[in-house]
């Protein structure tokens, strides 16, 4: 079994989610110069019996230009699997299948989701305003929150 730590890194006000597996940065090998996804994407890491694919990192230009790294996440009764990796930049460069104890995985996801210690004031304000703005019928026509 592997150990997962969901690290939020802030560099020059760019925020990224960096999954650390057994103490090593998972994204550093496949996409060393690209930022991980935004921490707002943490809910996509919730593991359910229904497998689903999640993009962990995308090239700053776009996925269609320079690629991205995707993983399929599946829960069984006692563990969570990260498997069927897809690297659209280099299909040969993918991590191995990873398995995490389900209780540890859930606890780490809950911890990372509840931790806002890395936020600066403008980011905190945006997080609090986003639900009200997303519910606005005026903004819905512009697809601001799709």
């Amino acid at each position: 079994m592997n150990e997962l730590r969901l690290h939020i890194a802030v560099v020059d006000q760019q925020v990224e989610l960096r999954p650390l597996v057994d103490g090593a940065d998972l994204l550093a090998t496949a996409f060393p110069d690209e930022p991980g996804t935004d921490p707002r994407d943490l809910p996509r890491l919730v593991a359910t019996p229904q497998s689903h694919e999640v993009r962990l990192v995308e090239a700053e230009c776009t996925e269609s230009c320079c690629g991205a790294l995707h993983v399929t996440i599946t829960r069984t009764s006692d563990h969570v699997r990260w498997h069927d990796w897809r690297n659209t930049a280099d299909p040969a460069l993918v991590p191995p299948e990873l398995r995490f104890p389900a209780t540890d995985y859930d606890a780490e996801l809950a911890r990372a989701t509840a931790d806002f210690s890395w936020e600066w004031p403008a980011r905190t304000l945006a997080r609090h305003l986003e639900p009200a703005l997303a519910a606005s019928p005026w903004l819905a026509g512009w697809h601001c929150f799709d």
Side-chain angles (χ1 to χ4, degrees):
M1 289 282 182
N2 301 99
E3 180 181 272
L4 177 67
R5 172 95 171 138
L6 298 168
H7 175 67
I8 310 297
V10 180
V11 179
D12 297 328
Q13 293 193 354
Q14 178 161 346
V15 184
E16 61 178 303
L17 173 61
R18 304 297 295 192
L20 306 177
V21 176
D22 301 330
D25 185 336
L26 183 66
L27 307 179
T29 303
F31 282 86
D33 300 323
E34 302 296 343
T37 62
D38 190 280
R40 290 179 297 181
D41 293 334
L42 278 166
R44 296 180 327 146
L45 298 179
V46 170
T48 65
Q50 178 74 29
S51 295
H52 66 282
E53 187 177 74
V54 174
R55 183 175 62 212
L56 295 177
V57 62
E58 176 183 30
E60 281 196 76
C61 51
T62 63
E63 178 173 354
S64 61
C65 180
C66 294
L69 180 66
H70 301 259
V71 65
T72 300
I73 300 175
T74 308
R75 171 188 290 279
T76 63
S77 60
D78 59 345
H79 65 273
V80 173
R81 289 177 48 220
W82 284 16
H83 59 100
D84 294 336
W85 294 89
R86 191 166 58 89
N87 183 335
T88 61
D90 183 353
L93 188 58
V94 294
E97 178 174 304
L98 302 169
R99 291 178 182 263
F100 308 102
T103 54
D104 294 350
Y105 184 92
D106 293 342
E108 178 57 13
L109 188 56
R111 183 207 60 78
T113 301
D115 178 14
F116 299 105
S117 63
W118 53 269
E119 282 186 339
W120 57 95
R123 179 87 184 206
T124 302
L125 178 62
R127 177 171 50 86
H128 288 292
L129 287 175
E130 187 173 20
L133 293 172
S136 166
W138 184 71
L139 293 174
W142 290 353
H143 306 286
C144 296
F145 297 93
D146 290 346

